[in-house]
Amino acid sequence: MDINQEILECARYGEYEELAMYIEQGALIDSIDMSGNTALHKACANGEIECIEVLLSKGAKRILNNSGNYPERKYICI
């Protein structure tokens, strides 16, 4: 799995330390999956507050996914 996909999985599963490490190593913070979900979408969907904080502190953007949802509209955050 490439580094840009790793941040999506880290955000999904609450691995905030690894998430921060991959971002520091140059992962694209706003990478998307096939559904257009970003790491911020995944962190919000799973209530991963630490990951949400890391992503926002590193400049993650509020991006619409393929269903037209921002992270906070479909999920719990921001």
Side-chain angles (χ1 to χ4, degrees), residues 15-60:
E15 299 166 349
Y16 65 93
E17 291 172 343
E18 293 87 348
L19 175 65
M21 178 191 69
Y22 287 127
I23 293 168
E24 291 298 320
Q25 290 177 358
L28 300 174
I29 197 166
D30 293 317
S31 296
I32 59 172
D33 67 10
M34 292 176 58
S35 298
N37 291 314
T38 63
L40 189 55
H41 282 97
K42 291 178 178 278
C44 289
N46 292 296
E48 299 297 349
I49 302 303
E50 293 89 355
C51 289
I52 294 166
E53 291 173 347
V54 167
L55 290 163
L56 292 176
S57 73
K58 301 292 185 180

